Amino acid sequence: MELPIRLSKDSREPIYHQIVNQLKALIAGGQLVAGTPLPSIRVLSKDLEISIITTRRAYQDLEHQGFIRTSQGKGTFVAEIEDATKQQVKISSVYQTIEKAVDTAVQYDYSLDQIEEIFQEVIRSQRSSRKGD
Amino acid sequence: MKTWLEINDLQKKIDDDFQLGPIDLHIDPGTITALVGNNGSGKSTLLKLIMNLANPDMGNIKVFDKFVYGQDESWKNQIAYLPQTRIGWNAYTGNTLKGLTSPLYPNWDDALFTKIVELFDIPLNKRYRKLSQGIQQKLSLALTIPRNTPLLILDEPTSFMDIPSKKQFIDLLVDWIDQDERAIVIASHQTGDIKKLSDYLCVLQNGRHVGTFEKETLTERYARYWISDTLPESTIPGEVSRENHQLISNNPATTEKFFTENDIAWNNRSAVDLEDIVTYLVNKGKEG
């Protein structure tokens, strides 16, 4: 199984961190349920075109945080995680996405007031399109 | 972790124009190291030195803690080497070659041999010299990988193979190294091998060891900037190359510091492809 992980090599976020965050999102979002086998470090490294040093670091981080577990000789699996943790991952992923959007706008020289206006505009158009459903 | 292959201060003078080394290199279990460099950079010579097929002028090579030129040759059972050209195979069929090879290796995996033969559709009843260069490489791999030695050394194993075969080869090696505690050293010009297989890149340039780099440490060290202003004529700290409004740096932190201090606006920073990085490393060697 090839995991739907998309690395952005242009991002300032370190590669191992991108893997950790995306796997956490897949687990918290329920796309990867507890017990799902994950690719070996070597196979994931091949798929993502990175070294095993980077992949191992990501897996160790995820294991440390309780998202995955490794059993000797059997491989790596998605761990059982609590609902509170899932909620935490979801909320922090929403925050990160919005923060990233704000960063992009700032890079294009928009003021924070202008960004707020854009944000409200997006919310308004979402509201009206959802009403139409 | 114990090092399986240890090269210290290795030097070998080939002629007045070419000297290999000094090279220091360690290969640890579980890793894949790609040997990259321009043509004639000394990759094959380095592999021959490891296999004790040539004598160094200086320095040491140890495989599983044994000097390769020592009396104790037990290390030879723990290493499988696929040279670029196979001498003395021409007159034999694949079947005969397998009969000659397999008894020499106690861990020979016949099922794996059959799997590779079927995967690549290799005719075993034709003489080696009658096979195309691509098929010769496939047969050579089928006669090398199943030796199941902990250390596997491959010299340009896929240069004549077609694109689907190269992909199958990568999957085959990934599967093989995952089976047990193993390590691979592969000399290659193939971008796919370098990107998909390697953990470390050992870069050689005309015999000079430019360095051995962990892949992400290397890619994260390079950045491409798009500059809206005109660049100063003097070389910018970290500058590797420039073209119009584009600057490549191998030290983004100092380059960005320089931009800030000199009020130079840059509107985009992106990653540099591994292939380009290798090119910069090898070209830099030429000047120095």
Side-chain angles (χ1 to χ4, degrees), chain A residues 7-132:
Chain A
L7 297 181
S8 162
K9 305 218 165 167
D10 294 335
S11 165
R12 276 167 192 270
E13 186 185 3
I15 301 284
Y16 90 93
H17 210 253
Q18 295 184 36
I19 300 171
V20 168
N21 279 341
Q22 292 187 34
L23 270 174
K24 273 162 86 170
L26 288 167
I27 295 167
Q31 286 99 322
L32 290 174
V33 297
T36 309
L38 292 173
S40 73
I41 289 173
R42 175 58 69 191
V43 169
L44 188 59
S45 302
K46 179 205 73 174
D47 290 341
L48 300 178
E49 302 189 343
I50 57 177
S51 77
I52 55 158
I53 296 94
T54 305
T55 310
R56 186 181 295 131
R57 192 167 168 198
Y59 270 23
Q60 278 169 350
D61 222 25
L62 284 161
E63 186 153 17
H64 190 70
Q65 294 183 50
F67 284 84
I68 64 173
R69 62 188 161 76
T70 302
S71 61
Q72 202 67 45
K74 283 186 186 156
T76 306
F77 302 87
V78 175
E80 202 79 59
I81 57 162
E82 290 177 13
D83 277 345
T85 317
K86 282 187 190 170
Q87 293 312 323
Q88 212 183 333
V89 171
K90 286 182 193 169
I91 191 81
S92 77
S93 132
V94 171
Y95 267 91
Q96 272 175 23
T97 310
I98 295 175
E99 276 162 10
K100 210 173 147 197
V102 174
D103 278 347
T104 307
V106 169
Q107 251 185 25
Y108 292 135
D109 288 335
Y110 285 90
S111 71
L112 289 176
D113 285 338
Q114 285 172 310
I115 297 168
E116 196 177 353
E117 234 170 80
I118 296 170
F119 187 75
Q120 279 170 355
E121 169 74 41
V122 172
I123 294 285
R124 264 198 301 278
S125 89
Q126 287 272 343
R127 271 216 182 97
S128 58
S129 71
R130 258 147 231 241
K131 253 180 223 158

Side-chain angles (χ1 to χ4, degrees), chain B residues 110-173:
Chain B
D110 221 43
L112 180 58
F113 174 79
T114 308
K115 188 185 145 188
I116 300 173
V117 166
E118 283 170 6
L119 177 74
F120 288 136
D121 206 9
I122 306 168
L124 291 177
N125 53 358
K126 280 193 182 162
R127 285 178 204 279
Y128 188 78
R129 70 158 170 268
K130 298 276 185 194
L131 303 171
S132 75
Q133 283 174 307
I135 308 271
Q136 285 182 349
Q137 285 188 324
K138 291 172 180 174
L139 176 59
S140 307
L141 283 166
L143 291 165
T144 308
I145 300 173
R147 296 175 192 178
N148 277 354
T149 54
L151 197 51
L152 178 63
I153 297 198
L154 304 170
D155 192 355
E156 291 285 344
T158 63
S159 48
F160 294 106
M161 282 192 200
D162 54 35
I163 290 169
S165 304
K166 280 179 188 161
K167 192 181 174 307
Q168 286 168 322
F169 160 79
I170 288 170
D171 289 337
L172 185 73
L173 272 198

